[in-house]
Amino acid sequence: MSITFAALTAGVLLAGCGVKSGDAGNIAPMSSQPPPFIPSSSGSAPAGSTGSAPKVSNPLNPAPILANPCAALTSAQLTTFGLEATGRSRTNDAGPTCAWDYADGSTNTINVASIEANKNGLSDLYDQKAEKAYFEETTVSGYPAVYTDITDDRNRGRCSLQIGVTDQLTVYVFTQLDDSPDSSKPCPVADRVGAAVVQTLKEG
């Protein structure tokens, strides 16, 4: 069973598990113990997946943000994006997540999560793309990624981006820009945040 992770704080559907709007805060917590990092060295897809997603040629070690999702962005990166220095972390059925408010006092937020529930990484999303309101392939810092969600609220400041950091794990970036000059074009913001997360993982 694969999960498409929508906004943890925005009440959007969590696809694949029947969690409806407003239920995101009621998901039972899961263990925060990160699994061992095993880079995929074979060209075959894990069982249960079509393997239709692009392969991750240089897998990253996600252990730091699995253990502490708020470590996904450094202090310098948070300052660059205009975010508060301290994020709010939690773990639910999809995986560990951190949400940061903008430092300007607005209601704008950025969420970053590791989607452990999708055991086949991006391939699980490719298998479900017919069910999504939008599904657009892209790359982030050379890593395969997709913009995808079960609702399309990009004209309202919401953009869902998932980046394949290994063949088994995606990093999810969600923008909630209610009051921002970027409200009509949130995906470039998600791109920049995603690139920063990739850089953080590269630096270990």
Side-chain angles (χ1 to χ4, degrees), residues 83-121:
L83 299 173
E84 295 279 1
T86 302
R88 302 183 305 280
S89 65
R90 59 174 295 185
T91 300
N92 62 32
D93 282 353
T97 180
C98 188
W100 292 270
D101 295 324
Y102 275 70
D104 59 7
S106 68
T107 59
N108 303 323
T109 61
I110 298 291
N111 291 266
V112 175
S114 301
I115 310 302
E116 293 182 282
N118 285 348
K119 301 302 183 184
N120 301 309

Side-chain angles (χ1 to χ4, degrees), residues 56-182:
V56 179
S57 57
N58 295 297
L60 298 169
N61 184 352
I65 62 174
L66 289 172
N68 176 15
C70 292
L73 297 173
T74 66
S75 296
Q77 289 167 342
L78 292 170
T79 298
T80 297
F81 294 127
L83 299 173
E84 295 279 1
T86 302
R88 302 183 305 280
S89 65
R90 59 174 295 185
T91 300
N92 62 32
D93 282 353
T97 180
C98 188
W100 292 270
D101 295 324
Y102 275 70
D104 59 7
S106 68
T107 59
N108 303 323
T109 61
I110 298 291
N111 291 266
V112 175
S114 301
I115 310 302
E116 293 182 282
N118 285 348
K119 301 302 183 184
N120 301 309
L122 280 181
S123 285
D124 281 346
L125 296 177
Y126 274 68
D127 289 348
Q128 290 188 338
K129 64 182 178 181
E131 305 167 18
K132 310 311 172 196
Y134 64 96
F135 187 96
E136 297 178 10
E137 297 175 284
T138 186
T139 60
V140 174
S141 297
Y143 285 81
V146 293
Y147 306 113
T148 186
D149 210 336
I150 54 173
T151 58
D152 191 351
D153 291 321
R154 288 175 290 180
N155 63 344
R156 298 177 53 240
R158 278 99 168 132
C159 182
S160 294
L161 171 68
Q162 294 207 37
I163 308 163
V165 295
T166 78
D167 288 332
Q168 294 78 37
L169 184 77
T170 63
V171 167
Y172 168 89
V173 178
F174 180 79
T175 64
Q176 182 178 338
L177 306 178
D178 296 319
D179 180 20
S180 167
D182 296 312

Side-chain angles (χ1 to χ4, degrees), residues 9-84:
T9 59
V12 180
L13 283 169
L14 280 167
C17 282
V19 180
K20 298 184 187 230
S21 177
D23 288 347
N26 298 323
I27 299 172
M30 64 184 287
S31 171
S32 60
Q33 182 66 30
F37 173 63
I38 305 174
S40 176
S41 58
S42 69
S44 59
S49 167
T50 63
S52 54
K55 294 299 178 184
V56 179
S57 57
N58 295 297
L60 298 169
N61 184 352
I65 62 174
L66 289 172
N68 176 15
C70 292
L73 297 173
T74 66
S75 296
Q77 289 167 342
L78 292 170
T79 298
T80 297
F81 294 127
L83 299 173
E84 295 279 1

